[in-house]
Amino acid sequence: MNITVNKTDTPKQKPDESNLQFGKIFTDHMFIMDYNPEQGWHDARIVPYGPLEYDPATAVFHYGQAIFEGMKAYATADGAIQLFRPEQNMQRINQSNDRICIPPIDEVFALEAVKTLVDLERQWVPKAEGTSLYIRPFIIATDAFLGLRVSQNYQFIVILSPVAAYYPQGINPVNIYVETEFVRAVRGGTGYAKTAGNYAASLKAQQKAAQKGYVQVLWLDGVEQKYVEEVGAMNVFFQIGDEVITPPLEGTILPGITRQSVMELLRSWDVKVSERKLSIDELHQAFQEGKLVEAFGTGTAAVISPIGELCWGSEIIKISKETGPLAKRLYTTLTGIQTGSLEDTFGWTVKV
Ligand code: PLP
Ligand code: COI
């Protein structure tokens, strides 16, 4: 499929790189392609970034048939631009699509589209330390019909946003609220897919946590509220003694690409990593016994985010006010590979 390019006549001014936040500024162009049952995915185009117009009856507004991805483009010191394991994001789009009946995309073509858009917007990839160009592909159901059924028509859209750290804390530890009332996902649900609805369902708990002064929520399993699952926008790792533990993929948490990469890095360093169930009681007990060494979240937006403390009911599990050595080493290695300052021995990066 060809990608047509319609360039803007009114390019925007680039932001001050030393003052970037997360997800507030968008580049000059976006990628769009349409789907209908007759033509499949078609009409791939890059157009000026701007508002889109939809019928008020459009399916996505009512029943939330939408998925999204989050990935980043990084500037290297020698002027190149690279993506990090982008084929994994494309694969995950199709996993998410499958769960909520969106037709599959051609993963190779979709990655080509992302690269073409990023290439056109090269000047927007920030170079300052800790910054990157966040890439947000998403798919929405576009039938204008109020009956509840699988939509026939869709749009795949990619927008770009120059960003700095996701949390205002930067890479300093964040404090997290353990949610014991609401749940995010249950087995058989959509937890493993990156569907918009998962995030809508998470907002009430996030709001509650924010009111108590916590930046995000640590979700427990949806059945017993006993086992640790993941954080609002990241997977979690806990070091207890010499074992680094992350919850297993059993359909309720997002299979994070950063999570997978962190496990591969840790194993390459001969650190003992376990994907296993971890109850909040075990975590609390490890804390009381002085065995809880480090905790951190992993995600594209969040990178490696050390966890300072967990609030669990009336208990405060204080981990550290400072970033621990493991989180620091992971952050340095991961961002080093992503930005090309460290050799990519894993073959994770893809040049644009
Ligand atoms: N879990 C949730 C709920 C997320 O939104 C994210 C962010 O994408 C992650 C985990 C981390 O996934 P990844 O490392 O692929 O960005
Ligand atoms: C990402 O890390 O890319 C995410 O999708 C998190 C998002 C909720 C901001």
Side-chain angles (χ1 to χ4, degrees):
M1 200 182 342
N2 241 350
I3 303 173
T4 63
V5 179
N6 171 14
K7 282 200 195 167
T8 181
D9 299 328
T10 51
K12 295 178 251 191
Q13 192 164 0
K14 309 282 185 301
D16 171 7
E17 283 189 13
S18 61
N19 234 338
L20 283 176
Q21 292 172 304
F22 183 87
K24 292 193 166 170
I25 293 167
F26 301 94
T27 68
D28 288 320
H29 301 90
M30 59 187 173
F31 173 87
I32 305 183
M33 68 178 169
D34 302 318
Y35 178 92
N36 65 34
E38 297 75 40
Q39 293 164 282
W41 289 107
H42 66 282
D43 197 8
R45 56 202 187 272
I46 289 173
V47 294
Y49 184 95
L52 297 166
E53 197 170 277
Y54 295 98
D55 190 293
T58 299
V60 68
F61 297 149
H62 303 273
Y63 309 123
Q65 203 189 350
I67 66 94
F68 71 96
E69 264 308 321
M71 49 205 291
K72 282 174 171 174
Y74 307 86
T76 69
D78 59 3
I81 291 170
Q82 54 191 28
L83 306 174
F84 183 73
R85 310 190 83 175
E87 65 294 334
Q88 302 273 329
N89 296 90
M90 300 301 130
Q91 239 176 50
R92 197 166 62 188
I93 287 182
N94 275 339
Q95 279 164 26
S96 302
N97 281 359
D98 178 68
R99 180 62 183 82
I100 60 166
C101 305
I102 297 174
I105 52 158
D106 176 335
E107 293 171 22
V108 173
F109 177 75
L111 178 52
E112 220 30 65
V114 166
K115 283 191 196 168
T116 307
L117 181 65
V118 171
D119 188 32
L120 181 71
E121 305 285 58
R122 297 184 84 83
Q123 302 305 326
W124 282 90
V125 184
K127 295 183 184 65
E129 174 146 6
T131 66
S132 57
L133 186 68
Y134 187 75
I135 305 169
R136 170 55 59 86
F138 61 106
I139 302 179
I140 53 169
T142 55
D143 278 10
F145 175 61
L146 287 186
L148 176 61
R149 61 146 201 229
V150 174
S151 183
Q152 305 269 299
N153 296 279
Y154 297 87
Q155 267 183 337
F156 173 93
I157 304 174
V158 185
I159 57 174
L160 307 175
S161 173
V163 300
Y166 184 65
Y167 299 115
Q169 288 81 353
I171 60 159
N172 296 316
V174 293
N175 295 338
I176 287 181
Y177 184 79
V178 183
E179 177 55 46
T180 53
E181 180 187 358
F182 302 112
V183 299
R184 173 184 180 274
V186 289
R187 211 166 299 167
T190 57
Y192 68 91
K194 217 162 159 64
T195 63
N198 286 343
Y199 294 82
S202 76
L203 294 175
K204 182 100 178 154
Q206 187 173 317
Q207 186 181 49
K208 188 170 97 182
Q211 280 160 359
K212 294 176 191 283
Y214 291 86
V215 298
Q216 271 198 4
V217 166
L218 175 64
W219 295 103
L220 301 178
D221 76 274
V223 179
E224 298 176 84
Q225 294 203 295
K226 180 173 173 188
Y227 297 101
V228 169
E229 296 237 306
E230 66 180 324
V231 174
M234 46 190 199
N235 295 112
V236 273
F237 288 76
F238 296 93
Q239 184 185 352
I240 297 180
D242 63 3
E243 182 189 18
V244 179
I245 306 157
T246 195
L249 304 179
E250 292 179 340
T252 53
I253 66 174
L254 196 77
I257 295 157
T258 322
R259 171 187 181 279
Q260 183 59 36
S261 309
V262 160
M263 286 198 297
E264 288 173 45
L265 279 176
L266 291 173
R267 287 186 178 131
S268 78
W269 299 336
D270 289 326
V271 174
K272 184 177 173 207
V273 190
S274 312
E275 283 179 274
R276 69 162 175 89
K277 283 194 181 303
L278 172 65
S279 70
I280 187 76
D281 293 305
E282 181 185 344
L283 195 62
H284 185 242
Q285 197 180 335
F287 163 67
Q288 284 184 319
E289 292 171 359
K291 293 183 187 152
L292 179 56
V293 184
E294 273 192 53
F296 53 89
T298 67
T300 299
V303 196
I304 305 292
S305 278
I307 298 173
E309 68 174 53
L310 293 171
C311 169
W312 176 45
S314 56
E315 307 283 344
I316 300 288
I317 302 178
K318 278 203 184 303
I319 302 160
S320 176
K321 281 197 162 64
E322 288 177 5
T323 304
L326 199 59
K328 207 173 267 176
R329 186 174 178 199
L330 283 165
Y331 180 87
T332 310
T333 310
L334 198 61
T335 56
I337 293 172
Q338 288 165 338
T339 58
S341 66
L342 286 181
E343 192 193 346
D344 175 16
T345 53
F346 294 88
W348 283 340
T349 54
V350 172
K351 288 260 179 331
V352 171

